[in-house]
Each structure stands twice: as C-alpha cells, then as structure tokens.
Amino acid sequence: MSKPEEGPHDEALRRIDACHNKHGFFQALDLSGLGLAKLPTEISRLTDLTELHLQHNQIVTLPVEIAKLTALKWLDLSNNELRVLPSAIGSLTLLERLYAYGNRLVSLPREIGNLSSLFWLSLYDNELETLPREIGRLENLGLLYLSNNRLKTLPEEFGQLNALMELTLQKNLLEALPAGLAKMVNLSVLTLHGNEALEIPPEVLGPKYVELRHGASLPAKPQTILDFYFGRRAEGEEAMKEVRVLFVGRGRVGKTSVLKVLRGETLAPTEPETPGITVLPLGLQCPKGTATGHAWDFGGQEFLHGTHQIFLSERCVYLLVLEGRESNWETETDYWLRFIQSFGGDSPVVVALNKYDAHAFTVDQFRLQEKCPQIAGFVQTDASTGRGIAELRALLEETVNGMPDVWLGVPRRWHRVKEKLAEMPRSFLDYKEYQALCAEEKVTDEGQQASLAETLHRLGIALNFRDHQRLKETSVLKPQWVTEGIYGVLRFLQKQDCHGVLEREWLAQALSAKEYPPEKHGFVMELMEKFEVAFALEKPGVDETPGARAGRQPAPTERCAPAQGATRDVDQWLIPELLPEVQPAAFAEFRAAGVKRLRFTYPEALPPGLLPRFIVRTHEMSEGQARWRSGVVLAWGEARALVRLDRSQRQATVEVLGASQEEAQALFDIIRAHLVVLHGKVRAVEEMELAGHPDSWVSMEKLRLLERKGRNETDEETKERELVTVQVSPTLDTTESKEARVAEGPAAPARLRLFVSYASEDKRRLKALSQHLTILGRRGYIQAWDDKQLVPGERWDDQIMRELEAADIVLLIYSTGTRASTYVQEHEIPLALQRAGEGKCTLLVVPLDRDDWDPKDELDRRLGELMTATWKAKPVLKFTPQTAGWLEVEHSIRKAVEGRRGE
C-alpha cells in the first residue's frame, strides 16, 4: 500500500519541526507558497523564531498562538486571504517589519499600537476603511504603505508619527487630511494620487509612486503638497478657469478660419497660412461658468510638425481639423491622433470635419473612437458658411466643462500671482523675478513656486521649462514670443542654401533685436536643443567623438555658470528637419552579405519627427557620416549602421556591418534604446532579417517570448515560402544583447540611479560618454539614460543635490575644470565622499585629462584613495582611440552596479 501524499499542512508541520530542532541566534521559517488555508497551531513552539514567511498562501485567519512568537522581527503575511489581524499580534513587540499587503483586511486591531519596534508596515492592496487611533503610538515607524485601500479619513494621531519617512496613500477615497500630517518633519515621500476628493493638482502631487519605484523621478516635497492643501483651506480658493485649446491638422485644412469664426471674427477672402503658431484667447461659456481658452493655432506644414511637440502637453483640449478634398482622411486622422496621444496623453479630442459644404465627407467615427477613446465627438463644419460652428462651440464648452482641472480650486495666493503675470506687458522675466512676485503674494515655499510655474505652463499662461537647468531660469509670459522665435529661425533657414546648418551670426538676422535681445538668443537655441529640434555642431579640432584621438588639456579656469540664455561656445547648429530629403549615396556596402538588419513597422501611423529627432539624439555618432532628412549613418568602434525611414511603407530600417558581435550588439542596443523612446505611444512591430534569407523577417518579440519559455528553436517561413529552423537565442544575439533582453523581462534586476558630477566646461568632452550610458540603461544596469540628463549644476540647486543624495552610483569626472570649480569642490565632492563613506553610494572617479591628485589637498588625497574607472587612473582623453577609455568607464560602472546589487 503506497504512502499517502503529503498535503500543505503536513509540509508545514515538517518545516516547523525542522526549525524547532535548530538552534541559533537567528531563526527563519519559510512557509510561503504552500497553499496553506490556515497556520498550524504548532507554530507556538517556535518561541525563538525571528523571521516567519507566510506569503502566497490562502490563509484566512491567524491563530492566537501567534502571540507566543515574541522574538519575531519579520513577519510576511502578504498575498493571502486575511480579513482581520488578531489582537494577539500586539504581543510581538520586537517586530520590525510587517508585510500584510495583498489581503482583504477591512480594519486593524487597536493592539497594532503595541508594536513599538515596528519600522516597516505594508498594508497596500487591501480593503481598509478605517485605521485605529492607536497607530499613532508607533513611534519608530519609518515606512507606511497604505495605497489601494478604501480609506476616507485618517486619524489625527498621524501627527505623532515623527519617525515616518515614506507614506503612500494613492488610490484611496480620502475626503480630507488631518492637520497632524503637517507635523511629520522627517517625511520625504508622500503620495496622494487618485484621491479625487482632495482636489490636489498633479503638478503639486508630483510623480506617481510607480515612477519613484523605478527611479525615473524624484518625489515632490511633502511640505509643498501639504502647504498647498492646508493653505487652500485656510485662505479660501479660486479656480483658474483656464485651458489650452490646441488646433492641429495639416496645412490649409482651415484651422485659422475655424478659430476666427469661433471668436466671432470676419473671415478674409483668403486666409494666409499660419507661419508657426498663433495664440489667441477664446471665451467659453460653460455650465460651470466662463472659462478662458488659450487657443493655439498650429501651422500645418510638415517641416513644422517636429517642433510642435515643444508646446503640446497633457490636460489640454485638442481640436483636430480635417477636410476631405485631396486628402486621405484615414491616414491623416491616424497620424494626428497618434501625434496627440504621444504628447497629449489622455487629453480630450474634438474632431471638426471642415470645408464640409465645399466637399462633404465622412469618417469611421466608431473605429476612431475605439482607437482613441478620448475623442469627445465629431462636428461637420464649414467656416465660410457657418455650418456647425455653433455645434462645435457647444461641444468645446461641454468638453471643457467636464475637465476637473479647469475648475479645480487653488489657493487665492496662486490666483493673484496668475493675474499679476497676465497683466505684465513684458514677454519674459527671469525666474528670480517670478519668485519675488510670488513672495509678494505670500507664495514663499519654493516647491509651491515650482508647482505654480508648472500649472501656468500647462495652461499656456507663462511657459517655464522646469526640467532644464538653464531654461528654467526664464519664465515666458507671452507664449508667442517663444513660437515666433523658433519659427522665425526655421523660416529664415528655409530661405538659405545651408542644408539645415544655422550660423551663430544669423540669429541676429532671424530674430528681431527689440523682441529678442542677444542675451536671449541662447534661450531659443537651448529650447530647440532640449526638444530635439537642433543640436550644436562641433568646432574643427574638438575631440569628443567616440573615435577621436586624445584631446588637448584646457587651460585652468574658474568654473562659473554661463550667462543664462547665452549661446555658450557654439558657432553652428544643425536642424535635421531642414536637411536635404535626397539620400546622398548608394550605400552599396549595406547590401552585402553578412549585414545584420532590423526593421520597425508602424501599422497605424509614423511617430512624429522620428528620424530628425533620432539624428539629434545620436548626433555624436554621425560626425563625419552621411545625414539627410530621412536617414543617417552611425559609427561605433568598427561598426557602422545605416538607419533609414520609408514614409510610404511606414518603416524604419536599421542595417549594421563591419563589426564583432559585441560591437554590433552595442550599436543595435543604442539605436533601439532611442527608437523605443521616440515611438511614444505609436505601436511598432519589430522584426529582424533571417540570416541567409534576404527579405525574410521574423518577429523579435516572438523570439524573446520563446527564449523566456525555454524554447531553443522555431520554424519560420521565408520569403520563398520555405520552412527553416531558427535557433532562438543565437539569432537574437546577432541584433540584441542578452543583458538587454533580461532587463526587459519579468526577472529583471533593479536598475540603479547614476549621478554624473562634472564641471560645466567639460560638457562637450563628455558627449561620447552619453551613448555608453545609453547602453547601460538599455541593458538594465542604470535608469534609462538620456543625454539631456548630462547637465551640470551651475549653482547651489536643491534639485541637483536631491539627485546626488538619491544616487546609487556617483561618477566624478576629474579634470582641470573640476579642480577649478568651486561648486564641484565645495558641494558635490564632499557630499559624494560622505555618502560613499556611509555605504550609501559607490563613488567612481573618472580621470578625464589629468591624474595628478594633489597630496596636500584633503579632497584630492581622499579621491586618490578611491577606485578609478580606468586602469591605473589613465585619463580618458589620453587613450587612443578615446573609445577604449570610455569602454573602460562603462565596464567600471557595470561592475559597480553588480557590486551594489550583491550587497
């Protein structure tokens, strides 16, 4: 007779017995994932147990015997079926961590307040409706996670949690916050997203918790959030009642005419084409009250589309104007809806079928609304006859009436600042002047000043680009000042035979001296660089490309910030949107055997400005290579890539030749990392060409899925309709590194946050480093990297120091400029050394142009004792080629990440 198979209860008893027979200071018992319906009462024997793991079972209740486990420091009850915690849990006074997330808890016992040693309490993803007042007795509680519950109120005793550092409350039903919350002096993370009744705008709430977990952003300051909330209650509130209405569509569909008749203006016999963007007020009589629409009329010429992204944002209204004559409405609509979704998120869309009396047409409304659920409706219009204008206005007003942000109350102080800014005749003012104006109206908290600046930017009242270290120092009071500046530069270049190259001295001709003084020329160009419309061309003899030889050492200079808005040391810029359209060469070598190919197909619409923006992102790799509007050649070590866009086929192709597999993988990883970002919300189908079978393609996603499932091979059909056996992993390896595949998979290890500390004058010499950081981001070592992050701190800046304090890896570029930089020497290096000494980060020193640490200088002496990112501290600029030096830096960062992961 066979022995009966053991069940979960029997296995649990066996493990309890085994644990009971062990002796030692530290005892842990793992009963996770056994399928237990209840915890055996025999657990009471383990009075020395310090860790108990019960996660991923079906436990409904805990036995009272749990009270006997008085030595417990760690109790994991997550992902069970618990409805209550027994009062006996209050006996576990040594407990430091309690995980009970993913259950069905409705309330907590009052005895929870007895857990005086508790530091970490995770209760998210439950059904909690109330919290006991006794929770305020947890004087050592540092981390409290309560998101995804049903809490309507919080006890006033929250104010007693003086040790609390992180509090997550997103996705609850909170109707009010207790005043005691403002007393939490150590609180550094507070998330309240998804509590609509609190009416706190996203600009104030800051990044969502998922963004914080992935390290993509830093949290908003809790004090800023709480000052906004309690300040509004104390002094009263007033809604902004303003919204941006963005008119988009291709050229000559009648956007300007529709806007004019909506504003009650008379149409001219022929309306000139909008040269860039026109911004005009549009009164909207909504049921909730009168709102001011800031109507942005975008020029529809194709070369302008890439620049429109500068001004598009979420929580606006998009009015898409179409017309049927000489137009494929389906292609046009797909393109513009994807354009809107890429930059406008879930903003509502109103579609006007314009010039209807001249040429009636229909669209597949249900299909379009299925693809784009935020479409509020369709209206047949004709500006010349007045058809549908009243209906269009009514739909706009109904749409705006349903947008909570328009009617959201803000502290009256905010509203007064907004009114004063609107009354100012100036086109722009420095951020310090803006802060002084805020202070006059009692908005003194810097976090609130920044939040208000973001709100005003979203409304189109005063543009301020808060995420850019230099651009944020100017607030634009008249948005058209920016639009006319950028489009003035573009239209000036269109008239020159310059192949998209802008000479520095031309800025004075392209821009009005009265409206654009020379000190603001740099602001316009910085903005174009930030939004990947332009990039600075290298001066002859400047060594900073991946294959350049070692460069000269700069003369010692005192580091100081370049004047805000200055054009820096730049003589030329390239604007890829204005490059010639014609491919400059046959590139026959890319059709030879052995070339590895990828292609991205976009079934619905091309991503806006795909190739021009890609050229900007990778420009240091195309120095000396061919560039044209729909293609570019990149170099990486011995590898070269031809990247082209075929608009008619909606395809981007990537072809790589002349490289070892390692270099080819690196080049493909870099290209893919940039394209994934540029795709935005546009769906892309990624395929690779089968080796030895020209024009026969296999889905990359399919191969990745098969690899994750452990499949070694698959049969694929070639272009000639033959079946060939494809080795899954080796085939993937030809165009993608294993690390990149792991980084995108379900078992991806944690990415670490990297901070680069360097002197301003070294920025240009660090451009080659940026693509190595892109590789590390793609392969999951560090947070996804963007070279716009390579911005030095130019003054004592709270955001910069917060980034440094949050970093896991600090990369210190050691150079002549660093030695001369007061900012780096007095602020960044001491903080980095302190955090590294405490084990909070790894500090890597990168000798750039020198390795002569001064033994008499205390900071230099301490830096000389640290590990350098190159072998024997050889300066990167002395490597031949420099690529070898930056590769050593890349490998050192990789090892540093692996070291911190293994701690």
Side-chain angles (χ1 to χ4, degrees):
M1 188 172 182
S2 61
K3 184 179 179 180
E5 186 176 341
E6 282 191 348
H9 190 80
D10 298 316
E11 173 62 17
L13 287 175
R14 188 187 66 77
R15 295 187 187 185
I16 289 172
D17 286 339
C19 187
H20 184 253
N21 293 327
K22 286 183 179 179
H23 300 283
F25 178 76
F26 172 82
Q27 286 194 16
L29 175 60
D30 186 357
L31 300 178
S32 61
L34 295 181
L36 288 172
K38 62 179 182 178
L39 181 63
T41 57
E42 287 82 357
I43 195 75
S44 62
R45 299 161 58 196
L46 305 180
T47 55
D48 293 330
L49 195 66
T50 54
E51 283 190 18
L52 177 57
H53 297 272
L54 297 169
Q55 63 268 33
H56 298 290
N57 283 292
Q58 287 93 45
I59 299 172
V60 177
T61 61
L62 290 176
V64 294
E65 285 80 5
I66 196 80
K68 302 278 186 70
L69 307 183
T70 54
L72 267 187
K73 292 187 177 182
W74 188 325
L75 176 58
D76 192 340
L77 304 168
S78 59
N79 296 303
N80 276 282
E81 297 293 327
L82 292 167
R83 295 177 181 271
V84 295
L85 293 178
S87 59
I89 203 167
S91 300
L92 309 181
T93 55
L94 296 182
L95 198 63
E96 296 174 358
R97 298 190 182 207
L98 174 56
Y99 302 142
Y101 59 86
N103 280 281
R104 303 175 66 182
L105 297 172
V106 176
S107 63
L108 299 177
R110 296 171 56 186
E111 288 77 7
I112 196 83
N114 297 340
L115 304 182
S116 55
S117 300
L118 198 62
F119 173 77
W120 192 321
L121 180 56
S122 289
L123 296 166
Y124 60 89
D125 291 345
N126 275 287
E127 300 172 13
L128 292 170
E129 297 177 354
T130 60
L131 295 174
R133 297 170 55 186
E134 288 76 10
I135 199 168
R137 290 162 46 194
L138 302 177
E139 59 183 25
N140 289 307
L141 191 62
L143 309 173
L144 177 55
Y145 302 111
L146 291 165
S147 57
N148 294 340
N149 278 286
R150 298 176 181 175
L151 296 169
K152 292 184 178 180
T153 61
L154 299 173
E156 189 63 38
E157 286 75 9
F158 252 64
Q160 300 171 19
L161 299 175
N162 294 322
L164 202 60
M165 296 181 291
E166 292 189 15
L167 174 60
T168 66
L169 288 161
Q170 69 268 22
K171 294 187 179 179
N172 274 279
L173 304 171
L174 291 172
E175 298 172 350
L177 298 177
L181 211 58
K183 300 176 184 178
M184 295 181 180
V185 295
N186 291 311
L187 197 61
S188 59
V189 175
L190 173 63
T191 61
L192 289 165
H193 307 78
N195 293 281
E196 306 303 334
L198 297 179
E199 296 188 328
I200 304 177
E203 290 84 3
V204 176
L205 292 174
K208 295 181 179 179
Y209 190 67
V210 65
E211 299 173 82
L212 304 181
R213 284 190 62 192
H214 294 158
S217 304
L218 292 174
K221 288 184 177 178
Q223 194 61 46
T224 296
I225 299 172
L226 297 173
D227 281 353
F228 174 90
Y229 176 79
F230 291 114
R232 187 176 57 184
R233 293 179 67 184
E235 67 188 61
E237 61 184 57
E238 191 168 348
M240 291 287 195
K241 297 181 183 178
E242 307 206 30
V243 64
R244 265 204 274 187
V245 183
L246 309 179
F247 287 64
V248 296
R250 69 178 181 86
R252 301 200 176 279
V253 295
K255 297 186 296 295
T256 302
S257 298
V258 170
L259 175 55
K260 274 196 167 186
V261 293
L262 282 172
R263 283 170 39 86
E265 298 178 15
T266 303
L267 294 181
T270 57
E271 290 291 342
E273 193 167 14
T274 304
I277 302 176
T278 301
V279 184
L280 294 168
L282 176 64
L284 299 169
Q285 304 302 318
C286 304
K288 292 181 180 177
T290 300
T292 299
H294 299 276
W296 292 54
D297 178 12
F298 286 78
Q301 304 96 311
E302 187 177 353
F303 87 95
L304 297 175
H305 296 178
T307 58
H308 287 349
Q309 52 151 329
I310 298 174
F311 310 105
L312 304 182
S313 66
E314 297 185 2
R315 302 200 307 286
C316 301
V317 178
Y318 286 81
L319 200 158
L320 172 58
V321 183
L322 305 172
E323 62 103 6
R325 190 194 309 273
E326 299 176 2
S327 170
N328 182 337
W329 71 263
E330 188 168 13
T331 302
E332 287 288 324
T333 309
D334 281 345
Y335 171 81
W336 284 105
L337 289 178
R338 293 304 177 193
F339 190 94
I340 292 167
Q341 289 178 321
S342 291
F343 302 110
D346 296 327
S347 296
V349 180
V350 172
V351 182
L353 310 181
N354 199 35
K355 300 185 180 179
Y356 196 85
D357 287 337
H359 188 84
F361 69 108
T362 59
V363 297
D364 190 343
Q365 298 184 14
F366 293 111
R367 184 187 73 85
L368 291 175
Q369 285 181 313
E370 183 179 359
K371 294 174 64 176
C372 185
Q374 65 261 46
I375 293 178
F378 301 80
V379 182
Q380 298 167 355
T381 62
D382 197 307
S384 61
T385 65
R387 169 192 279 271
I389 298 302
E391 291 86 348
L392 181 61
R393 170 176 280 280
L395 181 55
L396 276 174
E397 291 171 343
E398 178 187 346
T399 301
V400 171
N401 194 69
M403 298 176 69
D405 291 333
V406 178
W407 313 102
L408 184 64
V410 299
R412 293 190 190 279
R413 293 173 292 167
W414 282 36
H415 205 274
R416 291 195 297 269
V417 173
K418 185 264 291 188
E419 294 295 323
K420 281 195 172 183
L421 289 172
E423 293 168 0
M424 296 180 76
R426 299 168 57 182
S427 294
F428 56 84
L429 79 166
D430 291 338
Y431 194 71
K432 287 183 179 179
E433 295 178 271
Y434 160 77
Q435 289 181 304
L437 176 62
C438 288
E440 290 176 10
E441 297 301 334
K442 312 303 182 191
V443 182
T444 55
D445 177 75
E446 289 191 6
Q448 282 205 43
Q449 292 171 351
S451 298
L452 176 55
E454 290 181 34
T455 299
L456 297 171
H457 178 93
R458 173 177 55 82
L459 297 174
I461 297 171
L463 304 183
N464 185 275
F465 301 92
R466 299 296 306 147
D467 59 345
H468 194 287
Q469 292 296 324
R470 285 183 289 272
L471 291 177
K472 71 178 183 182
E473 298 306 322
T474 295
S475 284
V476 179
L477 302 181
K478 302 290 185 287
Q480 206 149 340
W481 180 82
V482 172
T483 66
E484 290 177 355
I486 290 176
Y487 293 116
V489 170
L490 294 178
R491 292 198 171 279
F492 177 86
L493 279 191
Q494 270 194 315
K495 299 173 184 177
Q496 316 301 317
D497 184 18
C498 63
H499 299 287
V501 177
L502 170 66
E503 301 288 345
R504 181 176 182 173
E505 58 267 24
W506 289 353
L507 289 172
Q509 303 174 50
L511 301 171
S512 159
K514 181 180 178 181
E515 288 295 323
Y516 303 92
E519 65 269 18
K520 289 300 176 186
H521 289 177
F523 181 90
V524 175
M525 296 313 302
E526 288 269 10
L527 196 60
M528 295 176 73
E529 289 186 51
K530 168 184 166 58
F531 285 96
E532 301 166 349
V533 176
F535 63 88
L537 288 170
E538 304 306 331
K539 292 182 178 181
V542 174
D543 289 327
E544 55 188 11
T545 59
R549 57 186 173 82
R552 62 177 177 82
Q553 293 188 12
T557 177
E558 179 65 29
R559 177 191 181 183
C560 61
Q564 201 286 312
T567 51
R568 307 190 317 274
D569 189 19
V570 179
D571 290 334
Q572 293 180 320
W573 291 266
L574 180 66
I575 300 174
E577 283 280 2
L578 301 180
L579 280 169
E581 187 67 56
V582 178
Q583 181 175 304
F587 301 120
E589 65 272 28
F590 285 95
R591 292 191 291 276
V595 174
K596 305 172 183 69
R597 296 182 178 86
L598 281 180
R599 74 179 181 189
F600 297 85
T601 304
Y602 310 98
E604 295 154 349
L606 285 171
L610 179 63
L611 248 296
R613 292 179 64 197
F614 178 82
I615 292 172
V616 172
R617 281 177 157 257
T618 59
H619 66 87
E620 64 270 13
M621 299 169 64
S622 61
E623 292 291 338
Q625 307 292 331
R627 299 170 176 145
W628 65 105
R629 188 165 182 266
S630 57
V632 65
V633 175
L634 306 179
W636 183 260
E638 299 300 318
R640 292 173 70 219
L642 174 62
V643 184
R644 290 183 287 188
L645 178 67
D646 186 330
R647 290 188 181 85
S648 64
Q649 298 295 319
R650 291 184 186 167
Q651 280 183 348
T653 57
V654 181
E655 301 169 277
V656 172
L657 59 74
S660 65
Q661 179 162 292
E662 182 179 2
E663 282 188 330
Q665 285 179 343
L667 188 49
F668 274 121
D669 282 352
I670 292 172
I671 292 169
R672 187 181 283 105
H674 291 302
L675 288 178
V676 166
V677 174
L678 294 175
H679 291 162
K681 294 186 178 181
V682 176
R683 186 166 69 92
V685 177
E686 182 185 5
E687 301 168 295
M688 65 175 293
E689 188 179 55
L690 292 173
H693 300 277
D695 209 24
S696 296
W697 302 84
V698 60
S699 164
M700 288 287 287
E701 193 52 45
K702 175 182 177 180
L703 292 180
R704 294 181 188 122
L705 182 61
L706 290 173
E707 183 180 59
R708 286 198 291 269
K709 290 188 173 183
R711 294 276 297 275
N712 296 323
E713 58 186 33
T714 180
D715 289 334
E716 294 295 324
E717 186 178 358
T718 68
K719 183 182 179 182
E720 291 77 22
R721 295 189 173 278
E722 297 177 357
L723 280 181
V724 295
T725 299
V726 175
Q727 301 300 313
V728 174
S729 293
T731 301
L732 282 169
D733 288 343
T734 62
T735 59
E736 185 175 44
S737 67
K738 283 186 172 67
E739 295 162 300
R741 302 200 293 276
V742 170
E744 298 302 317
R751 297 171 184 259
L752 301 191
R753 183 183 288 275
L754 177 78
F755 180 89
V756 183
S757 174
Y758 68 103
S760 298
E761 66 184 56
D762 290 329
K763 179 181 179 181
R764 317 212 87 200
R765 300 195 295 178
L766 297 180
K767 287 170 64 178
L769 168 65
S770 185
Q771 298 303 338
H772 290 274
L773 300 182
T774 297
I775 290 175
L776 290 170
R778 176 69 189 172
R779 295 179 177 178
Y781 287 94
I782 62 174
Q783 302 301 329
W785 184 262
D786 187 320
D787 66 3
K788 292 192 289 296
Q789 293 171 252
L790 205 59
V791 177
E794 294 163 349
R795 62 183 179 86
W796 182 261
D797 187 285
D798 180 64
Q799 177 72 9
I800 292 170
M801 300 314 292
R802 290 174 74 199
E803 291 278 0
L804 178 52
E805 288 174 346
D808 301 293
I809 310 290
V810 175
L811 204 63
L812 173 62
I813 307 300
Y814 187 82
S815 67
T816 301
T818 306
R819 288 286 301 273
S821 169
T822 302
Y823 182 87
V824 175
Q825 292 285 321
E826 294 184 358
H827 301 306
E828 293 184 4
I829 292 178
L831 180 56
L833 284 168
Q834 176 190 332
R835 294 189 69 245
E838 296 170 351
K840 295 179 180 178
C841 74
T842 299
L843 178 57
L844 280 176
V845 181
V846 180
L848 184 63
D849 58 10
R850 60 191 303 163
D851 58 357
D852 53 336
W853 286 275
D854 184 354
K856 298 179 182 178
D857 182 275
E858 176 62 17
L859 286 181
D860 261 20
R861 183 188 63 77
R862 293 177 65 187
L863 290 175
E865 295 171 352
L866 294 172
M867 177 176 66
T868 59
T870 57
W871 177 248
K872 294 185 178 180
K874 181 177 180 179
V876 173
L877 298 186
K878 294 183 180 179
F879 278 80
T880 305
Q882 280 184 29
T883 306
W886 291 123
L887 274 173
E888 286 196 15
V889 174
E890 178 191 327
H891 292 151
S892 293
I893 296 172
R894 192 177 309 195
K895 289 179 181 177
V897 171
E898 291 169 347
R900 293 201 69 80
R901 284 175 176 169
E903 290 179 353

